[in-house]
Amino acid sequence: MKKTILVILFISFTIALFSFIPNREDKQKVLRTIIVDAGHGLMPNGKHNGAKGTYSYEDDICLSISKELVSQLHEALPDVNIIETRTDENIVELHRRAEIANENHGDLFISIHCNAMPPTQHSERIGTRTATYYVGKGKNRKKITKKVPKYRHWSTPNPRKGTETYIWGAHKNDDKEVAVRENAPIMEEENYKENYGDIDPNSPEFIALALVKTKQFFKRSATLAGFVEDEFVKAGRTSSGQQQRQVGIWVLQATAMPSVLVETGFLTNKEEEDYLNSEVGQQEIAQCITEAVKEYIGWLGQQQQSINSSTQNNGPSSAKDASAFLDIIDMKEKNIF
């Protein structure tokens, strides 16, 4: 009898213990598809596209780092689908990259690039020279000479180094805000009240919350960008942190998902060029991004738990119900959670 009781207690304790261990598969469900974008590529005429170092090109390095990143992501997140926008040396048009990401219902878009800066210009005074010029006309014309400084000019490679991760500017979300409102017909489904609750899509409250909802692209992108730069700092890299761009980065603007563009280093800095071309450097960069993605998945899991807790614990409230409804739309449309 005592043995039976002990066995029952042991089984109960084991069940209770493992019930608190996060399910790895459930955790990965918050992110199903990652799009990896190798920046630039060879043009149809065979010319390189992008930044150039003393002996290497951005498009080649981007492809190598992206391949390593894909490999590490596959190993770290075997249940996540990894899609490449550029699989070989040839360039893929920017609009097509965004289409690939959107067609595959990506939950995350990571674009790999290298940075560059123009040479630093220098000058120094090395003496004087005699300058001759004339003033006046006719009989009043006079020849004048005077000493003027003489300079030597030269340039050296720009010493700028380090990483920075770009996201799309938050105030450029107009199209995404419109998209959320255009998705409102989902509520015209016959059983939409059963699935989503009694929400009026024409109410000012719903429209306001819809606008807030679209900002989650910005929040998620900014969160991932922060994780990426934190990992670079841990690895000993110089970091310029998160950066916003409102124009000029099409792949960030056109992808309907959280998106970041990672500038992995400066090709115009010889030390960084060597690092970016090395196997060790490329593996470290890929590892930093992979660790950041894992942190991001954990953060998304916390957001999911917060949403679930809020939905379960809060009573009827039009604002909270509308917010929960928008979360469900997000789940259905983007498979984020």
Side-chain angles (χ1 to χ4, degrees):
M1 188 65 176
K2 290 182 178 179
K3 289 184 178 180
T4 303
I5 293 173
L6 288 173
V7 169
I8 293 173
L9 289 173
F10 176 76
I11 293 173
S12 300
F13 175 77
T14 303
I15 293 173
L17 176 64
F18 280 93
S19 68
F20 289 99
I21 298 177
N23 185 290
R24 178 173 161 275
E25 183 178 351
D26 288 343
K27 190 174 182 180
Q28 288 194 358
K29 285 182 181 179
V30 299
L31 195 152
R32 292 182 173 88
T33 302
I34 299 174
I35 311 298
V36 176
D37 174 57
H40 301 281
L42 280 180
M43 303 292 286
N45 60 9
K47 291 185 178 181
H48 288 277
N49 179 264
K52 181 183 182 302
T54 57
Y55 62 87
S56 61
Y57 296 90
E58 179 179 8
D59 48 7
D60 292 335
I61 295 173
C62 290
L63 184 61
S64 296
I65 294 175
S66 294
K67 291 293 185 184
E68 178 63 28
L69 176 59
V70 167
S71 176
Q72 292 195 25
L73 287 173
H74 273 306
E75 183 176 355
L77 307 169
D79 296 327
V80 174
N81 190 25
I82 312 297
I83 303 294
E84 298 175 79
T85 62
R86 179 164 77 91
T87 59
D88 58 30
E89 62 182 6
N90 298 311
I91 194 168
V92 175
E93 293 180 345
L94 291 179
H95 73 86
R96 180 57 191 150
R97 295 170 191 254
E99 289 173 356
I100 291 171
N102 294 330
E103 289 168 0
N104 285 279
H105 306 290
D107 299 308
L108 195 60
F109 184 91
I110 304 172
S111 189
I112 304 299
H113 286 255
C114 298
N115 230 328
M117 289 291 287
T120 302
Q121 302 298 324
H122 307 273
S123 65
E124 69 174 355
R125 183 172 177 172
I126 57 175
T128 60
R129 63 183 178 84
T130 301
T132 301
Y133 60 96
Y134 295 86
V135 297
K137 293 182 179 180
K139 294 181 179 180
N140 296 323
R141 190 180 187 210
K142 295 181 179 179
K143 178 181 179 181
I144 298 177
T145 61
K146 68 174 184 177
K147 297 292 184 179
V148 297
K150 186 177 181 180
Y151 292 92
R152 178 173 72 93
H153 301 277
W154 76 100
S155 64
T156 58
N158 196 299
R160 179 79 180 273
K161 65 178 182 178
T163 65
E164 51 191 6
T165 300
Y166 283 97
I167 62 174
W168 188 33
H171 68 277
K172 289 292 182 179
N173 276 340
D174 295 348
D175 291 341
K176 295 181 181 181
E177 293 169 359
V178 170
V180 170
R181 279 181 268 185
E182 290 297 328
N183 284 335
I186 293 174
M187 290 176 290
E188 300 303 321
E189 299 171 3
E190 290 183 2
N191 61 343
Y192 90 92
K193 287 189 178 181
E194 297 177 14
N195 294 330
Y196 309 118
D198 190 10
I199 301 298
D200 177 11
N202 298 316
S203 69
E205 175 188 75
F206 177 81
I207 296 299
L209 285 168
L211 300 182
V212 172
K213 182 65 178 177
T214 60
K215 297 296 189 255
Q216 286 195 4
F217 284 114
F218 173 78
K219 180 179 179 181
R220 292 170 187 169
S221 299
T223 298
L224 176 61
F227 287 147
V228 170
E229 290 302 312
D230 286 346
E231 291 298 326
F232 282 140
V233 171
K234 291 177 187 177
R237 301 292 306 282
T238 299
S239 168
S240 296
Q242 302 144 278
Q243 306 289 333
Q244 277 192 61
R245 281 286 293 274
Q246 286 76 43
V247 294
I249 302 181
W250 171 260
V251 290
L252 296 187
Q253 181 174 338
T255 48
M257 64 201 68
S259 310
V260 298
L261 186 149
V262 184
E263 295 283 6
T264 56
F266 285 82
L267 273 179
T268 43
N269 180 304
K270 183 61 168 59
E271 180 183 351
E272 293 235 313
E273 182 180 18
D274 292 341
Y275 173 81
L276 292 168
N277 279 277
S278 70
E279 183 177 345
V280 171
Q282 293 174 3
Q283 289 177 349
E284 185 173 72
I285 291 168
Q287 183 178 2
C288 287
I289 299 173
T290 298
E291 290 300 317
V293 170
K294 289 161 64 177
E295 288 287 326
Y296 176 77
I297 290 174
W299 176 80
L300 281 182
Q302 293 175 356
Q303 307 307 301
Q304 181 185 31
Q305 290 176 4
S306 176
I307 290 171
N308 292 340
S309 176
S310 176
T311 303
Q312 293 172 3
N313 297 332
N314 292 308
S317 167
S318 58
K320 289 172 181 174
D321 289 346
S323 181
F325 169 74
L326 289 168
D327 287 321
I328 295 173
I329 289 181
D330 201 39
M331 297 176 205
K332 289 169 68 72
E333 290 297 302
K334 298 306 305 154
N335 290 323
I336 289 175
F337 294 143

